[in-house]
Amino acid sequence: MTRGWTSDVDGHTPPPARRAHAVRARIDELHRRHAAAPVDVVSYYPPEAAGRPEVFGLAGVHVSGVRVSVGDSAERFPLQSISKVFTYALALEDNGRDATLARVGVEPSGDPYNSITFDDAHHRPFNPMINSGALVAAALVHGRTRAERVERLVARLRAFAGDPGIDVDRTILAEQLRSTDRNLGLAYVMRSLGMLDGDIEDTVAVYLSACSVTTTTDELAVMGATLANGGVNPVTGERAMPAALVRDVLSVMLTCGMYDAAGQWFHDVGIPAKSGVSGGIVAALPGRIGIAVYSPGLDGHGNSVRGVNLCRDLSEHFGLHVFTAARPDAAFT
Ligand code: GLN
C-alpha cells in the first residue's frame, strides 16, 4: 500500500514532478480497471441512464487546490441525495446545533433511505442523510417563502462548488414532484406525529429542489474539498459554511451517508461520504482531499457500484481510511 496521494509505489518520496506523474498514473490505472470490470448492477436511475452505463467520472481536489480529473468528470447529473449533506449544513447554520439535534438525530437507521421508520424514543427521524431526516432539515432552512428557501440553498451549493452557474434543473424537479408520493406520505406522517410542522408541499419542494440541482464530478469534488477544508472552498477561498459545524456534517456522513451500507463503507473505505441515487458519491477526508465519483449503475442500497468499488481501491492504495495509522503529511501532487 502506498500512503498519501504522494508516495511512489515503494513508499519513497520522489521529487515532486515524478511523484505527481506516479500518482496520476495510479489513479488513471484504477479508473481504467474499474471501467473495464464487469459489475453487478441492480438498477439505474433514471432508467434512461441504463442506456449509457459506461459513463464514469472521477475527480479529486486537495485542500491546497490541486485537482485531478479522470474520465467523464464533466458530465452533468443531479445531486439527488448528495444534496442532503448541504441541506443539513444550512439547517445547522440557521438553527444551531442544539435546536437542529432536537429535531433530527445522528443515529444510523440501518434501513433503506426512504423507509418510514423513526427514532420513537427521541421523537425525531434517525438522521438527516435519509429522506425523513432530510425533509425535516429542509423544513428547518430559513426563508419567508419556498422560493427564498430554495434560493438560499442554491446559493450555498454555489459557494461549495465554486460555480455561480449551478442551479435547479426544472425538468428534473417537475418529474420528481410528479412521482413523490412516498416523500409526501413520509412528511404527512411526520407532521401527524408532531415531528414536522409547516406546509408539507413547500417542504417537499425545497427538499426535491436541492435533489434536482445538477453538477459535475469535477464540481462535486470541489464541494467535498470544501468540507475537507473546514468549510472554505479551496479553489475560490470563499467560506461556504461555519467552521464549527463542519465536524457535525462530516460525522453524519461517516456514520449515515451511504444508507444501509454505511457500516460496510466505513469499514472498507473509511472516508465521510454521501451517495445519491443518480450514481454520484462525494467523499471528504478532513484536512486532505475531496473526492467525487459518478457512474449510474446502482447496487441494492442505491449506491453507485463502480463508485463504491473505485473508492475502496483509492482508499486502500493511497491510505485514505480515517483509521490509517502513521499517515505522512502528504500533498496531492
Ligand atoms: N429524489 C430522491 C428521493 O427523495 C432522492 C433519493 C436518493 O438519491 N436516494 O426520493
Side-chain angles (χ1 to χ4, degrees), residues 61-101:
V61 178
H62 188 260
V63 293
S64 66
V66 173
R67 310 174 67 152
V68 62
S69 301
V70 188
D72 304 307
S73 63
E75 185 90 14
R76 292 203 85 77
F77 58 93
L79 284 172
Q80 291 292 5
S81 280
I82 296 169
S83 66
K84 290 172 165 118
V85 168
F86 306 99
T87 305
Y88 183 54
L90 187 52
L92 276 170
E93 182 178 340
D94 283 351
N95 302 274
R97 180 180 290 152
D98 292 345
T100 306
L101 279 175

Side-chain angles (χ1 to χ4, degrees), residues 42-312:
V42 171
S43 66
Y44 288 90
Y45 180 89
E48 303 90 86
R52 305 178 59 218
E54 72 291 347
V55 174
F56 189 21
L58 166 68
V61 178
H62 188 260
V63 293
S64 66
V66 173
R67 310 174 67 152
V68 62
S69 301
V70 188
D72 304 307
S73 63
E75 185 90 14
R76 292 203 85 77
F77 58 93
L79 284 172
Q80 291 292 5
S81 280
I82 296 169
S83 66
K84 290 172 165 118
V85 168
F86 306 99
T87 305
Y88 183 54
L90 187 52
L92 276 170
E93 182 178 340
D94 283 351
N95 302 274
R97 180 180 290 152
D98 292 345
T100 306
L101 279 175
R103 302 289 304 279
V104 52
V106 290
E107 210 57 63
S109 72
D111 289 321
Y113 69 91
N114 57 4
S115 99
I116 307 186
T117 50
F118 309 103
D119 176 358
D120 295 319
H122 298 95
H123 201 59
R124 63 189 180 191
F126 282 105
N127 70 72
M129 301 291 111
I130 52 175
N131 287 22
S132 52
L135 287 162
V136 169
L140 289 174
V141 168
H142 289 177
R144 283 186 308 268
T145 60
R146 179 193 293 195
E148 190 178 313
R149 285 157 66 197
V150 171
E151 197 35 60
R152 291 189 65 243
L153 250 171
V154 171
R156 280 303 192 287
L157 290 167
R158 289 178 179 148
F160 271 101
D163 175 5
I166 205 170
D167 214 344
V168 177
D169 182 314
R170 299 281 152 197
T171 310
I172 294 173
L173 175 60
E175 191 196 307
Q176 295 211 84
L177 283 167
R178 264 198 308 277
S179 56
T180 200
D181 285 358
R182 195 163 175 107
N183 285 320
L184 285 167
L186 247 178
Y188 279 112
V189 170
M190 287 194 289
R191 193 169 71 180
S192 79
L193 295 170
M195 294 179 187
L196 188 65
D197 40 36
D199 186 283
I200 294 296
E201 296 203 352
D202 277 356
T203 294
V204 171
V206 170
Y207 163 72
L208 288 180
S209 296
C211 288
S212 305
V213 167
T214 61
T215 188
T216 63
T217 311
D218 285 326
E219 273 176 5
L220 190 56
V222 178
M223 298 169 89
T226 301
L227 286 166
N229 194 36
V232 173
N233 184 316
V235 179
T236 64
E238 185 182 359
R239 176 163 288 289
M241 70 172 293
L245 298 172
V246 173
R247 122 184 161 193
D248 301 46
V249 174
L250 289 172
S251 299
V252 284
M253 288 170 74
L254 187 56
T255 52
C256 312
M258 302 298 284
Y259 310 123
D260 45 333
Q264 191 74 51
W265 170 275
F266 190 178
H267 180 272
D268 294 350
V269 185
I271 310 174
K274 183 76 197 87
S275 63
V277 81
S278 45
I281 298 175
V282 67
L285 187 57
R288 297 185 67 200
I289 49 171
I291 300 171
V293 199
Y294 172 57
S295 169
L298 304 174
D299 62 20
H301 305 285
N303 295 324
S304 166
V305 178
R306 284 204 166 106
V308 170
N309 291 340
L310 177 56
C311 286
R312 189 190 305 117

